[in-house]
Amino acid sequence: MSFRHSEPPTSRRLRTFLRRWLKGPFRSVLEALPSGEGTPVVLTDMEGVPLAYFRGQLSSLQVLGATESLDIGEPPVARLIGDVGSLTPQFISLVSSLVLSVSDQDHETEELSYHALERYRELSLLYDFSDKASSATALDDVLGVALRKAVEVVRALGASILTFDSENTSQQVLASVGELPELGDELISRVVTLGTPLVGDDPESLEPVDDDTWEGRLTCLPMRSANHTLGVLVVQA
């Protein structure tokens, strides 16, 4: 068994913020602004890495001996150190706005990446389940239990497994759990014929997908055995 170290979200956010700040023009933009009269002030990240200087630079000893500081963000992502009291509220607001705009952009990107990864993981589990369920023995006895477990794992509202008769004209429900919209024979037959997942928000908006982009609350996955589609796994998220 292997264990994978997971970096705390706060540390990851600070690291991505610093990387974006150092690659962008943000330091030169801030240092070009008039900061008024007073002694030097430095903007740092929460690890003490300098991000911008105002009115000249501060030595490491001056930074350590500074009695004034102001954290930016909640939780903090940057800090003003030095003669902070001499800065006008307007200047501090401008600095804060720029810092938070960079930080929030990283945070939003992380949130989107996280949700996309979760969605992909859930649908991968469902796809894997549909492939395995189609080849299971004593299918009628195990499908109900397996389907309930799958619904629990991906926190879906409902799911069902459908097959067609030998003439492909009438669907048969092998197992069903939770709440699902009514799906006509024509729609299920379409999934079987195409052999491709259909995804959408409701039965009327279902469309084929051929990549990793899965956007929608209703998913119909073909259950394959060799080169044949034996049935359809329907999931309502």
Side-chain angles (χ1 to χ4, degrees):
M1 178 180 296
S2 63
F3 295 91
R4 182 180 177 182
H5 173 70
S6 179
E7 184 180 13
T10 301
S11 298
R12 185 167 59 251
R13 182 184 182 190
L14 293 175
R15 177 173 51 81
T16 55
F17 162 72
L18 178 60
R19 182 173 64 249
R20 182 181 294 275
W21 184 276
L22 295 178
K23 287 184 177 181
F26 312 110
R27 174 174 179 171
S28 59
V29 170
L30 284 184
E31 291 182 344
L33 298 174
S35 56
E37 297 181 356
T39 55
V41 176
V42 60
L43 174 68
T44 73
D45 73 351
M46 299 311 294
E47 299 296 329
V49 176
L51 304 178
Y53 290 97
F54 311 108
R55 307 168 184 160
Q57 294 193 8
L58 288 173
S59 67
S60 299
L61 290 177
Q62 286 176 308
V63 171
L64 291 174
T67 57
E68 289 186 77
S69 65
L70 177 67
D71 290 347
I72 298 174
E74 183 57 46
V77 294
R79 176 176 291 155
L80 285 168
I81 301 174
D83 191 10
V84 179
S86 65
L87 298 175
T88 65
Q90 292 81 5
F91 184 82
I92 292 176
S93 176
L94 183 59
V95 173
S96 299
S97 296
L98 184 57
V99 168
L100 294 179
S101 67
V102 177
S103 174
D104 289 344
Q105 185 176 2
D106 288 325
H107 183 62
E108 290 172 2
T109 301
E110 283 191 5
E111 287 293 312
L112 289 173
S113 299
Y114 171 79
H115 289 302
L117 181 62
E118 284 294 299
R119 181 66 170 162
Y120 180 76
R121 181 189 68 83
E122 293 171 358
L123 288 169
S124 295
L125 286 172
L126 286 173
Y127 222 145
D128 182 63
F129 168 74
S130 69
D131 285 340
K132 292 180 179 178
S134 62
S135 61
T137 58
L139 194 59
D140 291 339
D141 296 331
V142 302
L143 279 183
V145 174
L147 193 60
R148 282 193 293 273
K149 182 61 177 178
V151 169
E152 178 183 342
V153 168
V154 301
R155 301 182 293 277
L157 295 178
S160 65
I161 296 177
L162 310 173
T163 61
F164 266 92
D165 58 22
S166 58
E167 302 296 328
N168 268 7
T169 58
S170 179
Q171 61 178 282
Q172 176 186 1
V173 179
L174 296 184
S176 183
V177 178
E179 303 176 2
L180 286 172
E182 184 175 349
L183 303 175
D185 291 342
E186 181 178 350
L187 179 59
I188 300 303
S189 177
R190 182 184 176 199
V191 181
V192 173
T193 302
L194 293 175
T196 300
L198 301 182
V199 178
D201 290 326
D202 50 53
E204 290 73 24
S205 65
L206 289 174
E207 293 293 339
V209 292
D210 55 6
D211 52 29
D212 293 335
T213 303
W214 302 69
E215 296 182 358
R217 296 189 297 270
L218 182 63
T219 304
C220 298
L221 296 166
M223 296 173 57
R224 301 187 182 91
S225 178
N227 295 325
H228 302 285
T229 300
L230 302 179
V232 177
L233 171 62
V234 180
V235 180
Q236 175 74 46

